[in-house]
């Protein structure tokens, strides 16, 4: 329900739902189940804080999620959390850290069978390269993202279009047209 609230713009309702869920999750008697629920809620709170531009809070929550998913050995959600961490770092103007985080996810791609995390990392890295005017890096990430089947990733396809639209044309780069 919290995700539905967030996606419909009811950020206050989403936060309330996540906080109420956290209070209940903390009472679950099974350590493993409690830890899984709390880690997921930390991720949800990080995502919500990211979407509401509360980036320091988002970073605090995502660090907790990463620590928990590491302990739980949940590779899928750990990599998902690292991608969000890179997005948060970029918004906090920590481009070097964001670049390292996205690269870390891509280096783990052999263990990460989830294409969504790979393409999101590529696009995040492309945005870092754009901010640094590293046109070659942007082009490389765009090409790799375009080589992937993106049919199931509508938001990422839109993000790819946005990144491509922000690239200067060849004449602005000093290259022959």
């Amino acid at each position: 329900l919290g995700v539905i609230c967030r996606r419909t713009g009811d950020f206050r309702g989403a936060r309330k739902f996540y906080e109420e869920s956290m209070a209940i999750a903390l009472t679950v008697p099974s350590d493993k189940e409690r830890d899984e629920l709390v880690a997921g809620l930390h991720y949800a709170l990080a995502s919500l804080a990211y979407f509401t531009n509360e980036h320091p809070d988002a970073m605090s929550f995502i660090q907790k999620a990463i620590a928990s998913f590491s302990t739980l050995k949940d590779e899928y959600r750990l990599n998902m959390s690292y991608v969000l961490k890179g997005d948060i770092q970029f918004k906090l103007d920590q481009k070097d850290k964001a670049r390292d985080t996205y690269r870390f996810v891509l280096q783990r791609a052999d263990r990460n069978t989830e294409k969504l995390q790979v393409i999101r990392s590529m696009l995040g890295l492309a945005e870092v390269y754009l901010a640094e005017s590293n046109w070659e890096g942007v082009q490389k990430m765009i090409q790799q993202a375009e080589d992937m089947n993106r049919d199931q990733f509508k938001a990422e396809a839109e993000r790819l279009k946005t990144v491509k639209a922000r690239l200067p044309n060849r004449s602005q780069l000093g290259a022959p047209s």
Side-chain angles (χ1 to χ4, degrees), residues 22 24-39 72:
M22 182 69 78
I24 294 167
L26 290 170
T27 67
V28 171
S30 165
D31 289 344
K32 186 175 185 326
E33 289 177 17
R34 179 181 56 247
D35 292 348
E36 288 173 346
L37 291 168
V38 169
L72 293 165

Side-chain angles (χ1 to χ4, degrees), residues 14 26 34 38 54 78 83 94 121 134 139 170 172:
L26 290 170
R34 179 181 56 247
V38 169
E54 300 168 68
L78 178 61
V83 173
Q94 299 172 355
S121 292
N134 176 348
Q139 291 287 10
R170 291 180 58 82
Q172 291 173 310

Side-chain angles (χ1 to χ4, degrees), residues 36 39-40 43 65-74 77-78 81:
E36 288 173 346
Y43 180 87
I66 287 170
S68 295
F69 292 137
S70 293
T71 300
L72 293 165
K73 298 186 183 350
D74 185 335
R77 295 195 299 172
L78 178 61
S81 297

